[in-house]
Amino acid sequence: MQSFFATLADAGTSSEWLAIANIILSALLVQWMLRNRRLYRNSREEQAHQRDLIENLSEGIYRSSLDGHQLSANKALVRLNGYDSEQQMLGCVSDIGKEWYVEPGRRDEFRAILRRDGFVENFVSEIYRHKTRERIWITESARLVYDKKTGNPVYYEGSVREITEMMDRLKAEELLSKLSSQVPGGLFQFVRSSAGSYSIPYASRGFRTIFGLLDDEELGRPRRFLDMIEEIDRPTFASVLRTSHETMEPLDIEFRAVDSLGKAKWLRLSAKPEAIDGAVMWHGYVNDISVRKKNEMEIEKLAFFDPLTGLPNRRMFMDRMGKAVQRCRERTGCGTLIFIDLDNFKTLNDTHGHDVGDDYLVQVAKRLKNCVRAEDTVARIGGDEFVIILEGVSEDAAHASRVAIMTANKVLSAMRDDFEVGSFSHRSSASLGVVVFDGKDGRPEEILKQADIAMYQAKAAGRNGMALYDHLSMSTESERYRLLNDFKAALSNDTLELYFQPQMDDNGRIVGAEALCRWHHPEHGTLLPERFVPLTEQFGLIREFGNVVLAKGVAELARWQNLNATSRLRLALNINVQSFSCEDFVPNLTALISHHGIDARLLTLELTESVMAKDRKLIARRMNELKQLGVRLSLDDFGSGYSSLAHLKRLPFDELKIDGSFIADIETGESDRALVKSILGTARTLNLTAVAEHVENVRQEAFLRAFGCDFFQGYLYSPALTGDCFVEFVERRQMGDLLGDLPQIRQSA
């Protein structure tokens, strides 16, 4: 090649060389032109082939401008819309969204997805065949086409396929809705032949996923799926299926199953039978409802079962008691209620802590269940109060009484055996009240009251025994009414006393205290509010009782303000909603504040969530009147009721007080931990102070601190103290602060 160019160079610019070069260049140019012509012709042919392919596809192909005007359509799309030519169709279609789609706004949904993702796949819609207005179903896919230089979308193109026949086969509108919205689940067809054999001709991918099968795995015999159903639910499933076959009614059932991968789940199966040539085919849908079932069971557990012992709680007990009374009424039989109160439980709690007390209660629950039949009910309705319902024991009251006494003796014997709690043995006993009912002599609440009265008769007789309620003698001599008369006297003879449980901040400093009422009964000793407050509510003494507590509390706060150690401490008083609703409540409190000259900002009134169930306008007005006085307002036992956050936000509360039952279980109960965190988050959101009560150990305290609790009270710091002891406690605490020995002051739980 170098010699060739050297020769050319030697030739210089002679005429011969120019002629030769011209001939060569001409030949090369002709060759290049022929090659490009061939490529162009091939390209044109390829484009023609593509146009022919598109024109002859069975699927409609189109191109549209960005504003939705159709620019082109192939023959299939023209035919789908009932026209003879592309020109005719494009001339008749002016507004695709309004003229084509049956469902208003469906076109907007399509374009919204296209703008968001740049493409749409399998968009199912019901449309009109444009020319004839016949309603048909189509599936549509499309993509945006972008300018290669600017990157901006210039138009979009897509495909349309008619699926009317398939949609007609589906029939059921509900199944179609679920399929279109891609709700998780599986479709299936299940056949029972005239000979009694079963087969599964169709199962969707969702069906396979639910039962843990691969997409290409053989379904096998239907017996395989029946074996996946939990044994306890198989008889019910078989019965429902048999009934559907006999009546040709749809079946709908929820059951437990374990799929082929060993995963347990709850399933719901719905199917409609169809008679086909002597056989029956069910067209059905199965869905995994494990999450819903788990939530339902958690809600039911929280609402109807005691979180500590797992026994039915008071609400569940009252429901079962009502049903037991109704069955006795219908069958003219007798049932028995046994009320069990553990003797000296408070002493165990106070001396060894609530952890030990809780362990003891769990063991008590197990022993009680072992004393009765499987069909009987054992429930925990209070701190140390249990009940047993014995149903259908006899048609004769005398025989029912004998059975009840035998069962009660078994319970007493079980309670007398030592309990191994913590590192020591606890010798226990219980007091039992027994009532025989026949469904004619009272409501469940009345029967429970009678059992309670009988139980107190057993306590009065020396405890560790039982008493059978006698409708003739015990109704007039009951402990409850004697206690009521004693309490009326206590309101006037000053035997009610306020105790004070310290409230601490997150630095361990005392910020105030909650006042807790104690009744020093001459016969029964010191009684807690749980024993006598229900009397005030039941017999209309709540107003007088509330006035006594309010007067004592304000007087004590005035005493604190005159002492250096307690002058800036807050005092919280529990106010019953009935007392709070009285017209003279605010005037009375105003007079007390003025008389004692206290700083009202140091007074906190604790109201329970039931306050929001009252006349909200009245309550809000009263609360605002108190806020004008400077009084702080606290929502007590938050989480135990049904507060509406919307109502809470409108009321002028300063703090939320977390119900102590949730604090007790935050170490072991996931639901309680989640609930406490939620309450603390609510307090922060609403800019409210959060107070936790019944804090009994440092683990609970650490959890509450971690999630933003402001103040704490409970046995970890101190039990409720008399007024003088509380002042001494504060002084010792402050001295400990000065000496740098603050952590040593906590009490044992």
Side-chain angles (χ1 to χ4, degrees), residues 177-421:
S177 174
K178 290 180 180 178
L179 183 63
S180 300
S181 59
Q182 300 179 357
V183 172
L187 303 174
F188 66 90
Q189 289 178 321
F190 182 67
V191 177
R192 184 184 190 277
S193 70
S194 57
S197 61
Y198 291 91
S199 62
I200 304 176
Y202 171 76
S204 70
R205 177 179 294 179
F207 180 92
R208 293 172 177 271
T209 299
I210 286 175
F211 285 98
L213 307 178
L214 301 176
D215 290 346
D216 57 352
E217 187 175 349
E218 291 290 334
L219 292 175
R221 299 180 60 203
R223 180 74 194 184
R224 176 186 186 186
F225 298 97
L226 182 63
D227 290 341
M228 292 184 188
I229 299 174
E230 291 277 14
E231 187 173 354
I232 192 172
D233 290 336
R234 287 178 199 167
T236 302
F237 184 90
S239 175
V240 170
L241 182 63
R242 183 166 52 251
T243 301
S244 178
H245 175 262
E246 293 171 352
T247 63
M248 294 304 289
E249 292 292 326
L251 64 88
D252 193 328
I253 185 173
E254 296 179 357
F255 57 91
R256 288 157 287 189
V258 178
D259 66 18
S260 62
L261 303 177
K263 183 178 180 181
K265 55 185 67 175
W266 271 93
L267 303 178
R268 179 179 180 180
L269 185 145
S270 302
K272 185 176 181 180
E274 177 186 6
I276 304 176
D277 298 330
V280 176
M281 173 181 284
W282 284 270
H283 307 274
Y285 177 81
V286 64
N287 191 29
D288 187 337
I289 58 170
S290 301
V291 173
R292 174 171 69 80
K293 275 292 185 180
K294 180 182 177 182
N295 291 338
E296 287 178 357
M297 288 187 287
E298 286 296 327
I299 291 172
E300 181 181 3
K301 186 175 180 180
L302 289 172
F304 297 107
F305 291 87
D306 172 45
L308 177 64
T309 64
L311 296 177
N313 61 12
R314 177 179 286 270
R315 183 184 298 178
M316 174 68 83
F317 159 72
M318 294 305 297
D319 179 70
R320 292 189 180 179
M321 189 65 195
K323 292 177 180 176
V325 171
Q326 180 64 27
R327 282 190 286 268
C328 286
R329 186 179 299 121
E330 293 171 351
R331 302 170 185 173
T332 64
C334 291
T336 300
L337 176 64
I338 303 175
F339 192 110
I340 303 153
D341 184 270
L342 304 177
D343 296 332
N344 301 315
F345 175 70
K346 183 179 183 302
T347 302
L348 175 67
N349 249 358
D350 291 346
T351 56
H352 295 283
H354 287 267
D355 290 344
V356 170
D358 287 349
D359 186 12
Y360 169 59
L361 292 174
V362 171
Q363 294 187 45
V364 167
K366 291 179 181 178
R367 293 193 187 185
L368 292 179
K369 292 182 71 174
N370 290 334
C371 292
V372 299
R373 303 167 299 176
E375 61 267 29
D376 297 327
T377 295
V378 179
R380 182 189 179 204
I381 62 172
D384 61 345
E385 295 176 341
F386 296 81
V387 287
I388 296 174
I389 305 174
L390 305 176
E391 286 196 64
V393 292
S394 177
E395 295 183 1
D396 174 68
H399 182 258
S401 297
R402 289 193 294 271
V403 173
I405 292 172
M406 290 174 58
T407 304
N409 280 322
K410 288 176 62 178
V411 170
L412 290 172
S413 177
M415 292 299 103
R416 291 178 186 130
D417 290 339
D418 288 355
F419 288 81
E420 299 299 324
V421 287

